[in-house]
Amino acid sequence: MSRIARRFATLRAQGRGALIPYVEACDPDYDTALAILRGMPAAGADLIEVGVPFSDPSADGPTIQKAALRGLKGGSTMKRVLEMVSTFRKDDDETPIILMGYTNPIEAYGPERFCTDAKAAGVDGLIVVDMPPEEADLLAGPAAAAGLDIIRLVAPTTPDARLPIVFNGASGFVYYVSITGVTGTRTASTDELAAALPRLRKATDLPIAIGFGIRTPELAANAVSVADAAVVASALLNTLEGTLDADGKATATTVPAVLEQLRALADAVHAVSKTGSK
Amino acid sequence: MSATDTQAGANSLRSGPDGRGRFGIFGGRFVAETLMPLLLELDAAYRAAQADPEFQRELDFYLKDYVGRPSPLWLARRMTEQLGGAKIYMKREELNHTGSHKLNNVMGQILLARRMGRTRIVAETGAGQHGVATATVCALFGMKCAIYMGATDVERQKPNVFRMRLLGAEVIPVTAGAGTLKDAMNEAMRDWVTNVHDTYFLVGTVAGPHPYPQMVRDFQSVIGVETREQIMAAEGRLPDAIVAAIGGGSNAMGIFHPFLDDLEVKLIGVEAAGCGLDSGRTAASIERGKPGVLHGNRTYLLQDEDGQITEAHSISAGLDYPGVGPEHSWLSDIGRAEYVGATDQEALDAFQLCTRTEGIIPALESAHAIAYAAKLAPTMGKDQIIVVNISGRGDKDIFTVAEHLGVKL
């Protein structure tokens, strides 16, 4: 059983939802990002998304865009991203790590070599924002061979008839992009989520995570009350950004501020009882 | 042009893209899931429009009476004499309404957007020619219009920014990155993802996710279809070479496409070499890039070892883009078209040559094509023929040119 499947099985047995925080590799530097990553499980992260910086993240909002550029300035390369994950794995063999990024850096690295190296570093799953199922053949083979989950994105615009196409080859969990829009902007209403989830549940048995626009502990709790997990990215990155000095360098408050916010989000998520739900 | 002009048999070089929107390994649909259903809907709507004679009739009407087609094919006598070689003909796309080839595509897409019931148009622009063309048809049909333009380009293309605003468009300067076309494209895609319910993304070149490269090419193929008829009428034979500037590559694809199966016609795309192909300050994606994925398609891209997209440089805002249309990437790989570079300086020289010998002030984009044609012509015989696509007029560029010539306006 993969780390992701094992983690969701444990959470289900405990009747809890999951919090999936996001950290951008090398934002604003390698050591700070690694310190945040390492602190995340103790602060309540159930799974972790590690952002792979890309120069042109056209599906992301300004917050992630800025984080990606800081990451690149902070020396991020695919090699460094994988190094960060393997360093994390020395102390934590349980928390699933999902890399989130765009196609081109993977293509430049070489899809097969990337999957092999990512697995060896301790990566469990991949979310490739600009790789819809129609283009998934680039990664499908190498990811399956390496034992990496491909996490598929579903959007409000995805019609029911398309869901089987989207879920074909999906594993790990499903990422529901809860709004039409870029990351960190609008928030989906409770009604919108309540309407969306049953149609996804009908089409897949995989756990469902909700992302985009989840900014507060209340919104995170609301998301896990209908889904299995809540993804929080921009809110944490905004906090990180707010602690940087005038030159964009990390300060003594950077790591604690992010982890403190994460703790509040995790407490709210874990307070939601999921006993009896799927 | 009729829709059938762009269709060809399976063995034809004109039959692409395949069902997945690919030209060989290039093209495709690399977009966020939010946009996939929209692209599939657009593909279906475009096919239906192609099959509907009424759509073509409507497009032909607007192309003739509003755009001003057909554009003339001009024998550039003085330039030919001065260069002393092949006869140079100029396809006069700069005579279209709004001053460039851009309106051909924009007219086709706005009619399609109307058919699809969209009420708001979003577009990206580099030099502003596509933005002005888009703002123009939005005014014509009473549609809301938002144009994303890099802040650097807003600065260097002020007249076009003013034009767009006069036409009622909202021009949104993009400060991310270097503030050029690549960044405007990212921002336009973000807008589209956010406003998918009522918004149509009107792409200005033969790039982006399928079906845009095909659709834009088809709408621009009117240039090549006319050129073919006109050169046959004037010379009784096809030209030996066709030369066109390449940024994303829509004017080039438009004039190349009807000639793809005429292997005796050399097709030459001129990329912006900027400060020189090996200067590190260039926009020559095919000559100095590698295949990769950006803005929804796989194509040649200027990028570093780690797959990060690098900034392009060209004196011409319209060519200042680190990618190129996927069909060009394919034509380059299979050797059907040849891609060369012209530097900023060569373009400036050609700009003046064309202006002084023909009384035609070309866009700096087009000046890249003229620069290469001026190199090529003397190497060819007097009985040979080159057609250069004059994709746009240079009024918008006089400030840039003046600055480089040390003239204060």
Side-chain angles (χ1 to χ4, degrees):
Chain A
M1 196 188 270
S2 74
R3 269 195 206 98
I4 294 175
R6 201 154 62 224
R7 178 54 55 99
F8 275 106
T10 306
L11 289 164
R12 196 167 298 156
Q14 296 172 347
R16 292 200 297 130
L19 179 70
I20 311 181
Y22 179 101
V23 54
E24 187 83 22
C26 296
D27 171 21
D29 59 77
Y30 180 87
D31 291 333
T32 303
L34 178 62
I36 291 171
L37 177 63
R38 284 178 134 162
M40 278 179 158
D46 298 295
L47 299 85
I48 300 171
E49 263 184 38
V50 174
V52 181
F54 179 49
S55 53
D56 294 81
S58 54
D60 285 303
T63 301
I64 292 188
Q65 195 187 354
K66 277 190 273 178
L69 294 180
R70 285 195 304 267
L72 289 174
K73 237 175 139 183
S76 175
T77 60
M78 192 61 92
K79 221 175 134 209
R80 285 292 263 174
V81 175
L82 297 181
E83 190 184 322
M84 186 171 119
V85 177
S86 63
T87 306
F88 169 85
R89 275 281 168 255
K90 286 178 186 159
D91 311 319
D92 185 322
D93 198 36
E94 293 300 319
T95 310
I97 299 273
I98 296 111
L99 294 189
M100 180 151 182
Y102 288 77
T103 304
N104 203 51
I106 295 175
E107 189 153 300
Y109 195 92
E112 285 181 23
R113 191 177 136 230
F114 168 73
C115 289
T116 311
D117 290 1
K119 183 67 183 181
V123 171
D124 302 292
L126 307 173
I127 299 176
V128 187
V129 181
D130 59 348
M131 190 183 286
E134 282 81 353
E135 303 290 353
D137 51 341
L138 179 77
L139 267 185
L148 291 170
D149 286 324
I150 300 269
I151 287 112
R152 284 283 161 75
L153 299 158
V154 186
T157 50
T158 311
D160 288 349
R162 184 174 159 75
L163 290 176
I165 297 170
V166 173
F167 294 141
N168 180 26
S171 58
F173 62 94
V174 165
Y175 189 126
Y176 182 59
V177 174
S178 59
I179 53 159
T180 57
V182 293
T183 52
T185 51
R186 198 172 73 80
T187 304
S189 70
T190 312
D191 287 352
E192 285 173 305
L193 292 182
L197 267 289
R199 99 186 165 90
L200 301 188
R201 296 275 191 217
K202 245 185 270 174
T204 183
D205 289 328
L206 290 168
I208 297 168
I210 295 179
F212 282 47
I214 300 178
R215 277 189 288 260
T216 63
E218 293 71 29
L219 291 168
N222 187 32
V224 294
S225 71
V226 292
D228 302 292
V231 180
V232 182
S234 295
L236 293 169
L237 295 171
N238 279 331
T239 299
L240 179 143
E241 193 183 340
T243 66
L244 303 179
D245 69 16
D247 299 326
K249 297 248 186 326
T251 59
T253 57
T254 301
V255 177
V258 173
L259 295 179
E260 187 189 333
Q261 186 186 11
L262 171 53
R263 206 164 285 121
L265 288 157
D267 288 348
V269 163
H270 296 151
V272 177
S273 168
K274 310 239 349 129
T275 315
S277 73
K278 188 171 174 182
Chain B
M1 182 189 73
S2 77
T4 49
D5 280 330
T6 63
Q7 282 157 21
N11 292 325
S12 166
L13 292 172
R14 302 176 63 197
S15 62
D18 68 15
R20 300 176 67 186
R22 292 192 180 182
F23 304 90
I25 65 162
F26 300 102
R29 277 183 292 230
F30 293 87
V31 296
E33 172 60 24
T34 310
L35 296 178
M36 266 317 284
L38 276 290
L39 289 172
L40 296 171
E41 181 196 355
L42 176 60
D43 196 21
Y46 178 53
R47 278 168 212 250
Q50 273 181 310
D52 179 359
E54 185 47 43
F55 179 77
Q56 196 56 49
R57 244 194 315 275
E58 194 183 16
L59 178 57
D60 288 346
F61 164 76
Y62 284 107
L63 287 179
K64 176 172 173 285
D65 288 349
Y66 191 77
V67 179
R69 301 210 70 89
S71 70
L73 184 70
W74 169 248
L75 173 59
R77 284 178 209 283
R78 291 195 63 224
M79 192 187 285
T80 299
E81 274 166 28
Q82 185 165 331
L83 294 170
K87 268 191 203 173
I88 296 178
Y89 279 88
M90 295 178 166
K91 181 62 175 163
R92 304 283 309 275
E93 289 301 300
E94 97 282 5
L95 292 177
N96 288 340
H97 180 44
T98 75
S100 80
H101 71 292
K102 292 292 185 185
L103 201 54
N104 304 328
N105 162 51
V106 159
M107 192 56 84
Q109 286 197 58
I110 196 95
L111 295 178
L112 188 62
R114 276 158 54 89
R115 273 172 79 103
M116 295 176 74
R118 298 296 194 272
T119 56
R120 178 174 177 269
I121 301 293
V122 54
E124 84 298 345
T125 197
Q129 294 303 82
H130 174 58
V132 168
T134 303
T136 297
V137 293
C138 287
L140 178 65
F141 293 111
M143 305 265 257
K144 269 190 288 184
C145 180
I147 307 284
Y148 289 90
M149 188 169 184
T152 306
D153 292 338
V154 167
E155 191 50 43
R156 58 180 168 173
Q157 300 288 345
K158 279 181 191 155
N160 273 344
V161 173
F162 183 57
R163 259 176 220 122
M164 285 183 265
R165 289 184 172 143
L166 282 174
L167 289 159
E170 183 191 359
V171 180
I172 305 154
V174 177
T175 52
T180 58
L181 183 52
K182 158 174 105 89
D183 312 296
M185 185 83 173
N186 287 332
E187 222 41 59
M189 287 182 82
R190 291 190 180 101
D191 182 308
W192 192 30
V193 168
T194 308
N195 299 295
V196 281
H197 59 286
D198 67 349
T199 297
Y200 180 94
F201 183 19
L202 209 160
V203 172
T205 191
V206 286
H210 178 66
Y212 284 106
Q214 174 189 6
M215 197 163 66
V216 177
R217 172 200 75 195
D218 291 351
F219 290 137
Q220 290 295 3
S221 289
V222 66
I223 305 172
V225 170
E226 285 176 8
T227 299
R228 197 181 178 92
E229 284 169 12
Q230 290 165 327
I231 199 74
M232 288 306 290
E235 297 279 349
R237 70 176 184 92
L238 297 181
D240 297 283
I242 295 176
V243 183
I246 309 252
S250 71
N251 87 81
M253 210 56 243
I255 195 166
F256 288 176
H257 193 255
F259 293 93
L260 286 186
D261 291 331
D262 303 296
L263 300 181
E264 71 277 22
V265 180
K266 276 181 83 166
L267 305 174
I268 303 166
V270 187
E271 295 191 297
C275 302
L277 283 176
D278 297 313
S279 65
R281 283 174 57 72
T282 179
S285 320
I286 290 182
E287 289 145 284
R288 289 297 176 270
K290 287 183 303 191
V293 172
L294 178 71
H295 295 151
N297 63 155
R298 178 179 287 110
T299 192
Y300 276 94
L301 297 171
L302 296 176
Q303 55 181 315
D304 67 15
E305 288 299 301
D306 205 44
Q308 306 297 340
I309 309 305
T310 51
E311 296 294 345
H313 165 80
S314 169
I315 189 172
S316 150
L319 304 182
D320 202 349
Y321 181 68
V324 62
E327 194 165 3
H328 286 297
S329 295
W330 175 69
L331 290 174
S332 175
D333 272 16
I334 64 167
R336 174 61 191 100
E338 184 188 345
Y339 294 86
V340 298
T343 63
D344 289 352
Q345 188 57 52
E346 288 170 332
L348 280 166
D349 294 345
F351 180 97
Q352 294 172 81
L353 172 73
C354 182
T355 303
R356 297 251 171 105
T357 57
E358 296 301 325
I360 294 170
I361 302 179
L364 273 175
E365 289 79 0
S366 317
H368 286 74
I370 298 166
Y372 189 77
K375 266 193 217 170
L376 184 64
T379 69
M380 293 167 65
K382 287 185 190 299
D383 56 339
Q384 293 188 288
I385 301 163
I386 300 174
V387 175
V388 186
N389 201 15
I390 308 297
S391 54
R393 66 176 186 226
D395 307 41
K396 68 184 172 56
D397 294 315
I398 56 168
F399 302 97
T400 307
V401 173
E403 196 188 314
H404 282 268
L405 297 179
V407 176
K408 206 165 159 91
L409 293 183

